[in-house]
Amino acid sequence: MAGHYSRQVVVSDHTHHVLYAHVIVAERDGETTRAIVLSQRRDGVHNLRFQEAWSHGVELPFRRGGALDGCSHGHCLNRHAGLIFLPAPLFAHAQRHGLAVRLLSGTENIDISVPAHLFRLTTA
């Protein structure tokens, strides 16, 4: 397996819902996976459990967090919150324009904005 990842940045800074994201591109057996990795800063009060991710009215392939609680991308104050998988055309669009996403949980919807520069990886 080979791949690259971006640095981690804040994509939502609500008082109790500080969310971080970084982008990964991984290659294995000729298949390429492109994803946004989400994490939530632990505040001792709120643990969001996202169920879906949407961008401009389109549902994106999403895998919930939870199984990987603990450190995320070397940041041990963060809790893994999920993965958004991106098809190649959407990834190419995000490299130029960034990506606005609405994350849906059972209690709140959170809008995030992932900047274009995170998607500019050497293997993308």
Side-chain angles (χ1 to χ4, degrees):
M1 179 184 280
H4 295 273
Y5 59 90
S6 72
R7 68 185 183 93
Q8 190 175 58
V9 300
V10 173
V11 293
S12 174
D13 64 357
H14 181 279
T15 304
H16 293 293
H17 309 301
V18 177
L19 299 177
Y20 289 80
H22 67 279
V23 174
I24 62 169
V25 175
E27 297 175 2
R28 183 181 198 180
D29 298 329
E31 296 289 323
T32 301
T33 299
R34 298 164 188 85
I36 300 168
V37 180
L38 300 168
S39 61
Q40 179 186 5
R41 180 60 53 134
R42 293 180 192 272
D43 69 355
V45 179
H46 299 92
N47 280 330
L48 296 171
R49 302 273 183 217
F50 298 115
Q51 299 159 342
E52 299 176 19
W54 292 76
S55 183
H56 302 287
V58 176
E59 186 173 8
L60 303 174
F62 180 76
R63 181 180 300 159
R64 292 177 61 172
L68 299 175
D69 278 350
C71 299
S72 172
H73 198 60
H75 298 274
C76 294
L77 295 175
N78 294 356
R79 182 189 149 277
H80 179 69
L83 296 165
I84 301 170
F85 297 96
L86 304 173
L90 183 56
F91 191 90
H93 173 83
Q95 286 178 309
R96 294 185 306 277
H97 306 288
L99 191 63
V101 176
R102 174 165 280 188
L103 300 167
L104 281 64
S105 77
T107 57
E108 281 193 62
N109 298 332
I110 306 287
D111 292 321
I112 65 170
S113 179
V114 185
H117 67 85
L118 285 191
F119 297 94
R120 296 184 191 131
L121 302 174
T122 58
T123 64

